[in-house]
Amino acid sequence: TESPSLPLTEIWKSALDNGLKEGVLLHDFREAFDIVNHRILQEKLKAAGTSGDLLSWLTDSVYLEQFVQIQETSSNPKSQVWGSPRFNIRVLGPKLFSTLANDLTESITDGTYYLIADDTTIYFLSENIDDLSQTPQSILVQVHTWCLSFRLVL
């Protein structure tokens, strides 16, 4: 959508007006809501101060147990560790993913990070165009390292 990007376009316009060069990396986490590790999300929710009934509700809503039943015989239930929660993903999915990704900014040292749900914009400014040619690779390595720690796909 256009409205969340308006602050960025103003920043970029001002930078260009001041003679700066800019680079932008746009990233959409592939199937972000389907690849979230539930245990990691639960730990991040606890670290963010979520507790009690709300944490229990979110945990119960996210964790699914699956089993196979053939006639009278069924397998032992197995927890689904990955994937979309049972509730409406359009409502809570982006907020939960933002909770998971809230520390991505600490991992990126070479640019400025802007996250809306699973869409990430990282921009970097410089007076020298040559600086901009090496910065994207450095940022991608930083994002990739962060993704590995949370078992996400870049």
Side-chain angles (χ1 to χ4, degrees):
T1 62
E2 185 176 321
S3 60
S5 63
L6 282 177
L8 291 176
T9 56
E10 289 301 315
I11 291 168
W12 298 336
K13 181 181 175 296
S14 175
L16 288 173
D17 289 345
N18 290 312
L20 294 174
K21 315 297 186 262
E22 54 194 54
V24 179
L25 293 173
L26 304 170
H27 181 263
D28 182 1
F29 283 94
R30 182 173 42 150
E31 300 173 358
F33 309 125
D34 293 333
I35 61 173
V36 169
N37 181 293
H38 299 160
R39 290 186 184 108
I40 293 173
L41 177 60
Q42 183 180 21
E43 291 305 312
K44 296 281 289 198
L45 287 167
K46 285 181 187 176
T50 306
S51 61
D53 289 342
L54 178 58
L55 182 62
S56 295
W57 179 79
L58 287 169
T59 301
D60 291 345
S61 297
V62 169
Y63 287 110
L64 297 174
E65 286 195 343
Q66 298 176 335
F67 65 95
V68 175
Q69 182 172 352
I70 300 173
Q71 295 178 356
E72 303 296 319
T73 306
S74 60
S75 66
N76 292 329
K78 192 102 167 128
S79 292
Q80 179 182 344
V81 181
W82 304 86
S84 298
R86 291 184 285 199
F87 48 74
N88 186 339
I89 200 65
R90 291 184 190 173
V91 175
L92 281 178
K95 291 180 184 352
L96 291 174
F97 187 80
S98 293
T99 299
L100 182 72
N102 67 358
D103 61 356
L104 178 58
T105 54
E106 297 167 12
S107 300
I108 299 172
T109 59
D110 294 328
T112 302
Y113 149 66
Y114 192 77
L115 176 73
I116 299 174
D118 63 339
D119 296 321
T120 305
T121 302
I122 303 167
Y123 69 92
F124 36 98
L125 308 171
S126 178
E127 294 177 357
N128 183 345
I129 193 77
D130 293 330
D131 292 342
L132 294 182
S133 65
Q134 295 182 12
T135 303
Q137 181 63 33
S138 173
I139 290 172
L140 287 174
V141 167
Q142 294 165 20
V143 172
H144 179 70
T145 301
W146 179 86
C147 286
L148 289 176
S149 69
F150 291 101
R151 300 180 184 163
L152 296 173
V153 178
L154 180 63

